[in-house]
């Protein structure tokens, strides 16, 4: 290629079909300054195929600032609630320091700030309107209105519901037994307005803004009209509401277009003629921040490949990168927040390093900024197609080996690519393989990251050419040792997001094929059984029953054989098998890469929140006096009811299992579930254990899942009906003649109805719910038809569910009676049943093991709501949870080990 020539003097005007731009942006300033110095008549052209950029965008950076602001408000309230001594001391120190200020200074500061806090926003609005930027003013007004509403809500909450320590930290007493507002009603809207209109991004206006805010805060503090925490809370509310508004309505789009790209290329010495978008579809997944790509033709010389990266694309995938950085151990992640210059330097460094290592990579020939919000990288044009764009027949063994040759060259210099997906492997028209998308790479990479690259490329090529050819090509280039070393990294967590999505799709397809094979075998066996039953009618009844039993056993064997024949290994298992044929002694135990799992983090957060509310209720109870007055007869009764619940649980499960299963072992399995609930959420651990137990007891996997699903479905319906019935009875206890339900029940039913309408009206939510329910209860209806044919089984299942609810209600009632004194109001069984059913529903929905924290808090608040004193409700709930959750843990562990040794789990 000839070296780029000096900038040609040519003028250009934007095409009529180019997207509308916000006036006054920095990108336009660059384009205008570049084009102003040109004077020829040749006009630059941007392809009309370029998608129009939206006028507004939802910036991830605004969402991040919103979350930071919410977190800061929560921290502020926590400090005000628990660090009363610190807040009091801070106020005293500030009062002493400001008390020495001259009165003239105080009055002058108050006068100037009160005037400026109104004039500055108006002046900025006039300046924006003159520059025809009225949309920003509209955003600021909306943010100010919302901030005013949040301010009123915060003032009301602090005055009516907040603790005394929070109220003392945010208010100052005034003459006449009144206090100051916790949040300044005029200052928070002003801050929200200034932030939303972008004053903080303009240096001169930013200085004026901070001077006004500091003067106002000084005047308010010295005059005794506010507190330091109130000032901070006011600023946080205004700041948070502003960025929440900007994220909701969107910010004006200042991303550079093709016209600005053409101007930027001329600025660095090229003569562009046309620029055409090379990627019309929006990027997704782990490629969402790779930038917009253009194919640029020049007046003379070969075309160029240009990548434009702006701040919006830099922020794409921020939360995913933060999560990976927190959860993965031993893997270096690039910084979650990276400036444009850092991104530019990283990609340039990796491009030069890859070529120096001998790999085929696009040659970087120029870089430049496109104003303060974007950068561009100019590469020599390669052409060709990506691996994903090639047909299966076009992917030869030589091509796959060529991809491995590039990885070998990179790893010879300790360069990790980190994104070896099909989009990152480019094949030109001569069949030469190139590696692209080096932005996420790493130099001087560790062994673990290099092995992850090998595992990723094995999976990428295995998805296209199969495991045998993929492993064969890798062995031919890297050798057996290097390929075998990657086996512990051959796990989904070590792969890219797009690859994991492909593997999940293949897993769903395999499950569907297995299900279809089993259903075909079942239909064939049923037809054979129907023919056998027709023939057996001509014989005696004894032989008919024996023949029917034999046919059922044959049907079960046929379905098991069909499932075994249809079962397929997943791709990663096939790759491991192929590698182990060469290196049988290679380690295959997966390396633990996850530092923390999502469920663990959610459980910790939910448990901490629930524990806070529980402790706040329990700390005020005098347990010493309560325990001394406890009636141990009722404690023993609570223990008996807790033990009886396992028999009821076994009945409720076996009632939906037509096959013969030992009742005694089922009871032991329910006791073992008490141990499992401690290490798994309540709604997950029991289902998994019962499904496993039924499978080990001879029930086919699909039927075991269907039986547990039918039991859960009936249990859900029974739970809702009992909650409604007992809630109705609770509302009619005081006025039995009118039979009027309580307002709480009516409000609850209306809330449920509104939620159902919302879910059914929104397509995304409707599809989400239907998919989850369908996957959860797949096969339940055919299973229920089998159960209905045996009324005794169905009666056992429904009776077990009613008995299970009844014994838990009796256990909670006994726990309440154990700590009730002569003056304690008596609660009806209907009230206790409503409290238990509501608390159990919350416990099942909570992600914490056994519903810890959520159940205790819900039961305590429920008992207090129905009239039980707090001093009795707290210990009663703790006794109930001790009997139903904690005491059964040791017997559950013993039963779990016993059933495991017997092969029942």
């Amino acid at each position: 290629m000839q070296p780029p020539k000096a900038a040609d003097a040519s003028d250009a005007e934007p095409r009529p079909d180019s997207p509308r731009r916000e006036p006054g942006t920095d990108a336009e300033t660059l384009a205008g300054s570049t084009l102003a110095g040109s004077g020829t008549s040749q006009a630059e052209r941007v392809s009309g195929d370029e998608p129009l950029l939206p006028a507004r965008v939802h910036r991830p950076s605004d969402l991040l600032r919103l979350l930071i602001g919410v977190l800061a408000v929560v921290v502020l309230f926590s400090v005000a609630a628990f660090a009363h001594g610190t807040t009091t001391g801070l106020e005293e120190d500030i009062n002493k320091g400001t008390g020495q200020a001259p009165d003239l200074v105080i009055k002058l500061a108050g006068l100037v700030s009160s005037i400026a806090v109104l004039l500055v926003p108006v002046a900025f609005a006039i300046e924006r309107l003159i520059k025809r930027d009225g949309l920003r003013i509209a955003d600021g007004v909306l943010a100010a209105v919302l901030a005013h509403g949040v301010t009123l809500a915060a003032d009301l909450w602090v005055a009516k519901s907040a603790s005394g320590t929070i109220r003392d930290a945010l208010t100052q007493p005034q003459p006449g037994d009144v206090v100051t507002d916790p949040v300044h009603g005029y200052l928070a809207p002003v801050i929200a307005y200034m932030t939303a209109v972008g004053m903080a991004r303009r240096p001169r206006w930013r200085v004026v803004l901070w001077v006004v805010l500091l003067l106002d805060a000084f005047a308010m503090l010295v005059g005794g009209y506010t507190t330091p925490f109130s000032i901070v809370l006011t600023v946080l509310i205004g700041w948070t509401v502003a960025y929440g508004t900007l994220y909701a309505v969107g910010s004006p789009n200042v991303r550079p277009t093709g016209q600005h790209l053409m101007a930027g290329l001329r600025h660095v010495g090229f003569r562009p003629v046309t620029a055409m978008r090379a990627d019309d579809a929006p990027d997704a997944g782990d490629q969402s921040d790779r930038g917009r790509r253009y194919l640029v033709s020049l007046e003379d010389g070969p075309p160029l490949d240009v990548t434009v990266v702006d701040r919006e694309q830099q922020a794409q995938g921020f939360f995913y990168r933060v999560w990976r950085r927190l959860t993965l151990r031993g893997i270096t992640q690039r910084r979650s927040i990276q400036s444009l210059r850092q991104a530019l330097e990283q990609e340039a460094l990796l491009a030069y390093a890859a070529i120096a290592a001998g790999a085929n990579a696009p040659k970087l020939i120029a870089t430049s900024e496109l104003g303060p919000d974007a950068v561009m990288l100019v590469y020599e044009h390669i052409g060709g197609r990506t691996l994903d764009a090639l047909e299966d027949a076009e992917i030869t063994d030589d091509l796959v080996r060529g991809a491995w040759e590039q990885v070998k060259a990179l790893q010879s210099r300790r360069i990790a690519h980190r994104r070896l997906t099909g989009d990152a492997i480019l094949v030109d028209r001569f069949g030469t393989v190139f590696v692209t998308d080096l932005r996420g790479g790493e130099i001087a990479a560790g062994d673990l990251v290099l092995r992850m690259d090998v595992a990723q490329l094995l999976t990428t090529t295995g998805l296209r050419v199969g495991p045998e050819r993929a492993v064969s090509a890798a062995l031919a280039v890297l050798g057996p040792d290097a390929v075998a070393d990657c086996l512990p990294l051959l796990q989904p967590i070590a792969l890219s997001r797009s690859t994991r999505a492909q593997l999940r799709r293949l897993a769903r397809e395999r499950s569907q094929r297995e299900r279809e094979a089993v259903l075909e075998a079942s239909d064939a066996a049923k037809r054979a059984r129907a023919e056998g039953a027709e023939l057996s009618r001509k014989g005696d009844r004894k032989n008919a029953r024996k023949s029917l039993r034999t046919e059922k056993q044959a049907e079960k064997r046929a379905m098991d054989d069909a499932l075994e024949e249809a079962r397929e290994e997943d791709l990663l298992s096939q790759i491991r098998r192929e590698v182990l044929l060469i290196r049988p002694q290679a380690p295959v135990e997966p390396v633990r890469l996850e530092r923390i799992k999502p469920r663990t983090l959610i459980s910790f957060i939910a448990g901490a929140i629930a524990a806070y509310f529980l402790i706040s209720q329990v700390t005020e109870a005098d347990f010493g006096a309560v325990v001394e007055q406890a009636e141990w007869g009722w404690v023993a009764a609570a223990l008996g009811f807790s033990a009886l619940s396992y028999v009821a649980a076994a009945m409720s499960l076996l009632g939906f299992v037509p096959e013969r299963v030992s009742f005694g072992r089922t009871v032991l399995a329910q006791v073992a579930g008490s141990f499992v609930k401690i290490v798994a959420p309540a709604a997950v651990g029991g289902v998994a254990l019962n499904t496993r137990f039924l499978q080990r007891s001879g029930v086919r996997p699909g039927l075991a899942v269907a039986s547990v699903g039918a039991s859960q479905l009936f249990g859900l319906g029974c739970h809702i009906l009992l909650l409604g019935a007992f809630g109705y009875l609770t509302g009619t206890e005081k006025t039995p003649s009118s039979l009027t339900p309580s307002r709480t029940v009516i409000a609850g039913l209306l809330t449920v109805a509104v939620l159902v309408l919302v879910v059914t009206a929104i397509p995304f939510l409707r599809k989400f719910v239907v998919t989850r329910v369908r996957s959860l209860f797949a096969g339940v209806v055919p299973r229920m038809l089998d159960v209905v044919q045996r009324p005794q089984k169905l009666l056992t299942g429904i009776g077990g569910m009613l008995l299970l609810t009844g014994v838990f209600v009796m256990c909670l009632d006994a726990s309440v009676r154990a700590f009730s004194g002569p003056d304690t109001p008596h609660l009806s069984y209907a009230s206790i049943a409503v409290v238990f059913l509501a608390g159990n529903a919350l416990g099942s929905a909570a992600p914490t093991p056994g519903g810890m924290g959520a159940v205790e808090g819900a039961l305590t608040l429920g008992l207090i709501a129905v009239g039980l004193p707090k001093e009795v409700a707290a210990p009663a709930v703790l006794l109930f949870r001790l009997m139903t959750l904690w005491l059964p843990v040791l017997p559950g562990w013993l039963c779990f080990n016993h059933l495991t040794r017997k092969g029942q789990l």
Side-chain angles (χ1 to χ4, degrees):
M1 171 181 175
Q2 297 177 356
K5 299 180 181 180
D8 189 17
S10 64
D11 194 7
E13 294 293 336
R15 290 170 57 99
D17 58 350
S18 62
R20 180 180 59 84
R21 307 300 303 167
E22 291 291 333
T25 59
D26 295 300
E28 282 187 345
T29 303
L30 172 65
S33 63
T34 305
L35 298 177
S38 57
T40 66
S41 60
Q42 183 180 2
E44 61 189 32
R45 294 181 291 119
V46 179
S47 171
D49 295 334
E50 181 182 11
L52 294 179
L53 297 179
R56 286 179 170 266
V57 292
H58 300 279
R59 301 175 186 270
S61 57
D62 292 337
L63 177 60
L64 176 62
R65 293 186 178 98
L66 169 64
L67 297 178
I68 292 175
V70 172
L71 180 61
V73 172
V74 172
V75 171
L76 178 69
F77 279 123
S78 301
V79 173
F82 297 106
H84 180 65
T86 302
T87 58
T88 304
L90 180 61
E91 291 182 11
E92 292 177 355
D93 293 340
I94 292 178
N95 290 333
K96 290 180 181 179
T98 56
Q100 301 175 1
D103 292 340
L104 179 61
V105 175
I106 297 174
K107 293 179 180 179
L108 183 61
L111 178 63
V112 172
S113 62
S114 61
I115 297 175
V117 80
L118 298 176
L119 289 182
V120 171
V122 174
F124 186 79
I126 294 174
E127 189 261 351
R128 286 290 90 196
L129 290 174
I130 292 175
K131 294 187 176 181
R132 298 180 181 180
D133 195 8
L135 287 178
R136 290 185 183 271
I137 304 303
D139 294 341
V141 172
L142 177 60
V145 172
L146 294 177
H148 184 65
V150 174
T151 298
L152 294 178
D155 288 344
L156 182 63
W157 177 78
V158 172
K160 301 296 184 181
S161 303
S163 62
T165 55
I166 293 179
R167 195 177 301 113
D168 293 339
L170 296 175
T171 59
Q172 284 277 23
Q174 298 293 313
D177 294 333
V178 296
V179 295
T180 60
D181 292 334
V183 184
H184 298 290
Y186 69 90
L187 191 58
V190 169
I191 294 174
Y193 169 85
M194 294 178 173
T195 305
V197 298
M199 289 183 64
R201 292 192 295 269
R202 303 178 185 275
R204 294 181 180 178
W205 288 101
R206 181 171 63 242
V207 172
V208 174
L209 170 64
W210 281 109
V211 169
V212 170
L213 292 179
L214 291 176
L215 282 177
D216 186 77
F218 173 76
M220 297 289 288
L221 285 173
V222 173
Y225 298 108
T226 189
T227 66
F229 279 83
S230 177
I231 291 291
V232 176
L233 179 61
T234 301
V235 175
L236 288 176
I237 287 179
W239 190 73
T240 304
V241 172
Y243 284 113
T245 304
L246 290 177
Y247 184 76
V249 303
S251 301
N253 193 353
V254 295
R255 299 174 67 179
T257 63
Q259 294 289 342
H260 305 105
L261 170 64
M262 302 284 276
L265 288 172
R266 292 184 181 279
H267 192 65
V268 294
F270 294 96
R271 293 181 176 179
V273 177
T274 61
M276 183 175 63
R277 280 287 295 272
D279 49 351
D280 294 335
D283 299 318
D286 50 350
Q287 301 288 333
S288 59
D289 61 343
R290 65 182 181 181
R292 286 178 289 145
R293 299 178 177 181
Y294 290 86
L295 176 62
V296 178
S297 61
L298 304 177
E299 292 182 6
D300 52 356
L304 303 174
D305 289 326
V306 182
T307 301
V308 177
V309 182
D310 54 47
R311 294 191 186 278
E312 299 308 315
Q313 289 167 321
Q314 275 295 101
Q316 293 291 334
F318 167 78
F319 296 103
Y320 174 74
R321 292 195 297 270
V322 169
W323 177 250
R324 295 275 290 186
R325 194 177 186 90
L326 290 176
T327 56
L328 295 186
R329 64 173 76 220
I331 302 176
T332 304
Q333 293 283 332
R334 75 175 177 89
R335 292 179 56 182
S336 300
I337 302 179
Q338 198 176 33
S339 68
L340 286 173
R341 177 157 293 279
Q342 289 173 333
L344 179 69
E345 293 172 350
Q346 180 182 9
E347 184 165 355
L349 174 62
L350 285 165
Y352 294 138
I355 294 177
N360 295 329
K363 184 178 179 181
L364 182 67
I365 57 178
T367 59
S368 178
E369 292 184 348
L370 293 179
D373 296 321
V375 295
M376 69 174 180
L377 298 100
V378 184
Y379 294 93
E380 286 186 351
H381 178 63
I382 297 176
R385 292 177 293 169
T386 63
L387 185 66
D388 288 342
L390 295 176
E391 299 292 337
D392 292 341
E394 298 179 90
I395 305 177
T396 63
D397 291 339
D398 291 338
L399 190 151
V400 179
R401 283 193 294 270
W404 283 109
E405 290 287 352
Q406 308 314 310
V407 174
K408 181 179 181 180
L410 292 176
Q411 297 204 349
S412 66
R413 300 293 179 87
R414 313 290 299 182
I415 301 174
H417 188 282
R418 305 295 296 275
R419 285 180 175 177
L420 286 172
T421 58
D423 283 342
I425 300 174
L426 187 69
V427 183
D428 67 5
R429 60 182 180 275
F430 303 108
T432 305
V433 179
F434 290 79
V435 286
T436 62
D437 289 337
L438 290 163
R439 289 192 59 205
E442 182 179 336
I443 62 172
D447 291 336
L448 188 65
V449 180
L450 297 178
R451 290 157 61 194
M452 285 178 63
D453 267 2
V454 177
Q456 173 65 59
L457 189 56
L458 271 176
T459 309
T460 299
T461 54
L463 288 169
R464 298 304 312 273
V465 302
E468 295 182 6
R469 293 175 59 189
V471 173
S472 176
L475 292 173
V477 177
L478 300 183
D481 293 334
V483 178
D485 287 342
C486 82
L487 292 186
L489 279 303
L490 205 62
Q491 48 183 308
I493 190 64
L495 306 176
S496 66
R497 297 174 71 182
S498 58
T499 304
R500 294 200 301 270
Q502 288 182 280
L503 293 177
R504 287 193 296 268
R505 178 180 57 81
L506 294 177
R508 290 194 296 267
E509 293 175 356
R510 286 197 309 272
S511 299
Q512 182 63 26
R513 288 193 294 268
E514 293 175 1
R515 190 179 300 111
E516 292 174 354
V518 172
L519 290 177
E520 291 177 2
S522 177
D523 293 341
K526 287 181 180 179
R527 288 193 297 269
R529 187 170 63 184
E531 295 174 358
E534 184 68 24
L535 296 175
S536 64
R537 290 175 184 171
K538 302 177 181 179
D540 56 2
R541 300 181 62 182
K542 181 178 180 181
N543 292 333
R545 284 195 296 268
K546 184 181 297 184
S547 176
L548 182 61
R549 189 180 304 110
T550 304
E551 289 171 355
K552 286 185 177 180
Q553 293 176 354
E555 179 186 357
K556 180 180 178 181
R557 287 194 300 270
M559 294 180 68
D560 290 340
D561 294 340
L563 179 62
E564 188 65 29
E565 292 178 1
R567 183 172 287 118
E568 305 174 21
E569 280 187 313
D570 62 278
L571 177 65
L572 300 184
S573 299
Q574 296 179 46
I575 293 175
R576 292 190 193 96
R577 189 183 68 244
E578 293 295 328
V579 176
L580 290 176
L581 293 176
I582 307 298
R583 281 287 186 271
Q585 72 279 8
V588 295
E589 185 68 22
V591 174
R592 184 180 176 184
L593 298 177
E594 285 185 297
R595 181 182 291 112
I596 182 173
K597 295 184 178 180
R599 181 178 299 171
T600 304
L601 182 60
I602 294 174
S603 300
F604 174 78
I605 296 174
I609 295 174
Y612 167 74
F613 289 106
L614 179 62
I615 292 173
S616 63
Q617 296 290 331
V618 172
T619 50
E620 300 182 8
D622 187 1
F623 287 103
V626 172
V627 172
E628 291 177 359
Q629 301 172 2
E631 298 185 18
W632 295 100
W634 286 111
V635 175
L639 180 61
F641 288 126
S642 176
L644 185 60
S645 66
Y646 298 102
V647 178
M651 293 173 56
S652 66
L653 176 63
L654 293 181
F656 298 93
V657 183
E659 292 82 3
R660 184 181 298 276
V661 180
S662 172
F663 183 79
R665 290 181 177 176
T666 306
V667 174
L668 293 179
Q670 305 313 302
V671 179
S674 301
F675 167 69
V676 176
K677 285 193 300 184
I678 299 299
V679 296
V684 177
V687 172
L689 184 137
N690 286 331
T691 303
R692 180 69 172 176
F693 170 73
L694 292 180
Q695 292 178 7
R696 289 292 188 173
S697 299
V699 183
R700 291 190 298 274
L703 298 182
V705 173
S707 294
V708 176
S711 175
Q712 294 289 316
L713 181 61
F714 261 79
L716 177 62
C718 183
H719 194 102
I720 295 175
L721 291 177
L722 289 176
L723 183 59
F726 283 119
Y728 188 90
L729 293 176
T730 302
T732 60
E733 284 177 350
K734 296 182 180 180
T735 57
S737 60
S738 63
L739 294 179
T740 303
S742 65
R743 294 181 178 180
T744 303
V745 175
I746 295 177
L749 294 177
L750 290 176
T751 302
V752 172
V754 171
L755 290 177
V756 171
L757 289 176
V758 170
V759 170
T760 54
I762 301 177
F764 170 75
L765 294 178
R766 183 172 64 247
K767 181 179 179 181
F768 177 82
V769 173
V770 170
T771 302
R772 294 302 184 272
V773 172
R774 184 181 300 168
S775 62
L776 180 62
F777 297 112
V780 169
V781 175
R783 192 61 164 171
M784 288 306 306
L785 295 177
D786 295 338
V787 174
V788 170
Q789 297 176 3
R790 299 186 179 185
Q792 184 178 0
K793 280 282 189 180
L794 186 61
L795 184 62
T796 301
I798 297 178
M801 291 176 182
L802 296 176
L803 178 61
L804 182 62
T805 302
V807 295
F808 275 130
V809 171
M810 297 300 294
C811 181
L812 181 57
D813 179 70
S815 302
V816 171
R817 293 176 184 271
F819 296 101
S820 298
D823 299 332
T824 303
H826 176 69
L827 300 181
S828 65
Y829 288 112
S831 300
I832 295 179
V834 170
V835 172
F836 164 74
L837 292 170
N840 188 52
L842 290 176
S844 299
T848 56
M852 285 186 293
V855 174
E856 287 84 353
L859 293 180
T860 303
L861 294 176
L863 291 176
I864 295 174
V866 296
L868 197 66
K870 183 187 303 183
E871 295 77 11
V872 178
V877 169
L878 292 181
L879 176 62
F880 173 75
R881 294 291 281 173
L882 179 67
M883 296 299 177
T884 58
L885 179 65
W886 296 109
L887 280 183
V889 171
L890 180 58
W893 178 73
L894 295 175
C895 293
F896 184 86
N897 288 334
H898 172 73
L899 294 176
T900 303
R901 288 195 303 269
K902 295 295 184 179
Q904 297 297 316
L905 286 179

